[in-house]
């Protein structure tokens, strides 16, 4: 029997137990899970939910300096608790040592323990976007956890785009901002075209049935593998991993056979939520020092466009850490490996002055 065949609650409990064991094995405190409910949440579309569940995990003592860390598309707080990410950041003497910092890992709307289409509303779930997700994260931190100011907001991929919006919407709420694997400009070019393809793969599958399926439509599983290979992994890394057709076939077969338990409606909403992202119009509002971290082989945010350098000039205190491409980097996935940037980010953060709580 596979995990995918288990009842959902049993599978979730198993996965959380694995996460807890990994956390215990790591040299930082075990994460604590929680769910806070935002009442009468209003979405950008005008739709509302009487109760919006917002899941989260925390690491460390609540008396520590608060740090908010935001996950990528189709991830969750649990997806950040890996040896390659948390294991490089939260341990003794590491840049976000949990003995000093109170680390907050929200589940975005549509992910983890937060409200999502698969809870029951299916395609009737409000069509949320990144603005809604950031609004919910801010409510969780400010109202749910009672914080008026945090030391740092850091995020990866979708979480990186959320960080840009945090800086624009809540400029006095943090000392520092670190958006990774992202840009502040509108969702566009290859990044959006590839997202459209996986969104359409769900909507055009006859088995989707407008969201009222009883068994998962098959097309989005293949589309997910296609998207991952096309937009993450790194050119040099793939050449090293699959230097022959036989090796490439084996790698592809492995990915196609990998466990994939996503719900089609959740998956569709998660990718569609990026459709109108654009933080660029409000960059002048950002007050906190900002360190953008991208990789030179990022397929979704290619540095050769010059976009990041252009936009950073609009900030009073913004800089770019660009990780050189190599056989060891993973394109868009590089920043999920904290070893490539943790030390530099830690040195930078230590030099960022603390600001008074702004309350917004």
């Amino acid at each position: 029997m596979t995990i995918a065949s288990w009842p959902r609650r049993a599978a979730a409990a198993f996965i959380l137990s694995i996460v807890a064991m990994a956390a215990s094995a790591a040299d930082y405190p075990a994460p604590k899970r929680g769910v806070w409910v935002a009442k009468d949440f209003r979405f950008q579309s005008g739709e509302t939910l009487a109760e919006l569940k917002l899941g989260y995990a925390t690491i460390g003592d609540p008396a520590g300096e608060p740090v908010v860390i935001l996950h990528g598309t189709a991830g969750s707080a649990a997806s950040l608790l890996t040896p390659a990410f948390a294991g490089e950041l939260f341990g003794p003497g590491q840049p976000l040592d949990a003995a000093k910092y109170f680390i907050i890992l929200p589940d975005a709307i549509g992910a983890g323990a937060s409200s999502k289409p698969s809870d029951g509303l299916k395609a009737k779930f409000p069509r949320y976007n990144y603005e809604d997700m950031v609004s919910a994260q801010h409510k969780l931190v400010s109202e749910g956890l009672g914080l008026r100011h945090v030391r740092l907001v850091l995020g990866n991929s979708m979480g990186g785009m959320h960080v840009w919006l945090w800086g624009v919407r809540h400029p006095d709420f943090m000392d520092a901002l670190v958006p990774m694997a992202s840009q502040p400009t509108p969702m566009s070019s290859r990044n959006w075209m590839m997202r459209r393809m996986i969104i359409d793969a769900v909507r055009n599958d006859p088995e989707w049935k407008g969201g009222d399926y009883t068994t998962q439509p098959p097309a989005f599983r293949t589309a997910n593998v296609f998207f991952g290979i096309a937009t993450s992994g790194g050119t040099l890394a793939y050449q090293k991993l699959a230097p022959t057709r036989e090796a490439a076939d084996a790698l592809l077969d492995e990915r196609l056979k990998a466990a994939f338990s996503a719900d089609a409606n959740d998956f569709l909403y998660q990718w569609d939520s990026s459709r109108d992202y654009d933080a660029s119009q409000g960059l002048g509002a950002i007050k906190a020092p900002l360190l953008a971290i991208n990789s030179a082989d990022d397929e979704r945010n290619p540095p050769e466009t010059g976009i990041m350098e252009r936009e950073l000039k609009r900030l009073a205190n913004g800089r770019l850490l660009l990780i050189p491409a190599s056989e060891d980097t993973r394109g868009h996935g590089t920043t999920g490996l904290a070893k490539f940037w943790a030390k530099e980010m830690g040195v930078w953060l230590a030099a960022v002055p603390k600001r008074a709580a702004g309350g917004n």
Side-chain angles (χ1 to χ4, degrees):
M1 178 181 289
T2 65
I3 294 175
S5 66
W6 293 5
R8 181 173 295 175
R9 289 185 180 179
F14 176 79
I15 292 168
L16 287 175
S17 70
I18 295 297
V19 169
M21 285 190 290
S24 298
D27 207 4
Y28 58 85
K32 297 179 180 179
R33 290 291 321 201
V35 175
W36 181 73
V37 177
K39 301 289 187 180
D40 300 316
F41 187 87
R42 185 177 183 85
F43 294 80
Q44 292 280 314
S45 64
E47 299 167 280
T48 61
L49 280 181
E51 294 190 341
L52 178 70
K53 295 184 301 178
L54 297 171
Y56 62 96
T58 62
I59 300 171
D61 190 330
E65 293 186 80
V67 169
V68 177
I69 303 183
L70 308 172
H71 64 79
T73 308
S76 66
S79 67
L80 297 171
L81 299 174
T82 65
F85 192 86
E88 298 280 343
L89 292 171
F90 305 153
Q94 292 180 332
L96 298 177
D97 186 340
K100 176 182 178 181
Y101 294 101
F102 178 52
I103 301 156
I104 304 161
L105 309 167
D107 290 331
I109 296 174
S114 294
S115 294
K116 57 180 73 66
S118 62
D119 290 342
L121 287 177
K122 299 184 176 180
K124 295 182 177 65
F125 193 86
R127 193 183 177 202
Y128 61 85
N129 65 7
Y130 281 8
E131 295 276 357
D132 295 319
M133 298 162 95
V134 169
S135 175
Q137 292 160 359
H138 182 259
K139 282 182 176 291
L140 167 66
V141 174
S142 62
E143 299 177 26
L145 299 178
L147 298 174
R148 297 182 60 241
H149 193 79
V150 300
R151 175 63 174 158
L152 169 68
V153 183
L154 177 150
N156 190 40
S157 191
M158 176 183 76
M161 290 183 272
H162 288 176
V163 170
W164 290 102
L165 290 174
W166 266 83
V168 170
R169 304 300 176 209
H170 309 288
D172 295 311
F173 200 80
M174 73 291 293
D175 292 336
L177 295 161
V178 177
M180 304 191 298
S182 64
Q183 296 180 151
T185 45
M187 180 58 61
S188 61
S189 191
R190 178 189 291 117
N191 198 353
W192 175 246
M193 288 187 282
M194 295 300 299
R195 290 166 189 253
R196 256 286 309 279
M197 289 182 69
I198 58 173
I199 293 166
D200 288 353
V202 177
R203 288 181 174 154
N204 295 332
D205 189 326
E207 296 303 312
W208 182 55
K209 299 177 181 178
D212 290 325
Y213 49 85
T214 54
T215 58
Q216 295 293 333
F220 78 109
R221 180 190 180 99
T222 302
N224 184 60
V225 174
F226 182 91
F227 180 83
I229 293 172
T231 71
S232 186
T235 302
L236 296 175
Y238 271 129
Q239 185 60 36
K240 180 180 180 180
L241 290 170
T244 66
R245 180 184 60 78
E246 291 79 9
D249 280 339
L251 181 59
L252 178 59
D253 289 342
E254 178 184 350
R255 295 193 178 186
L256 288 170
K257 292 176 183 176
F260 186 67
S261 58
D263 175 83
N265 283 330
D266 291 348
F267 181 87
L268 168 62
Y269 272 71
Q270 287 163 355
W271 290 105
D272 180 64
S273 63
S274 65
R275 63 192 176 275
D276 55 358
Y277 165 74
D278 180 10
S280 64
Q281 299 303 311
L283 289 185
I286 293 178
K287 297 180 181 179
L290 181 146
L291 175 66
I293 303 177
N294 280 11
S295 56
D297 53 353
D298 187 334
E299 300 89 344
R300 303 182 203 176
N301 304 287
E304 56 266 30
T305 63
I307 289 173
M308 185 64 81
E309 288 86 349
R310 182 191 72 206
E311 298 301 311
L312 284 176
K313 291 177 182 178
R314 300 171 56 194
L315 303 182
N317 191 350
R319 55 169 290 199
L320 172 65
L321 171 59
L322 187 65
I323 302 165
S326 73
E327 291 183 342
D328 297 319
T329 56
R330 291 296 181 267
H332 185 73
T334 299
T335 46
L337 306 174
K339 66 180 182 180
F340 287 111
W341 51 265
K343 181 178 179 180
E344 291 85 346
M345 189 277 294
V347 171
W348 174 83
L349 182 62
V352 172
K354 296 182 180 180
R355 305 164 66 214
N360 76 330

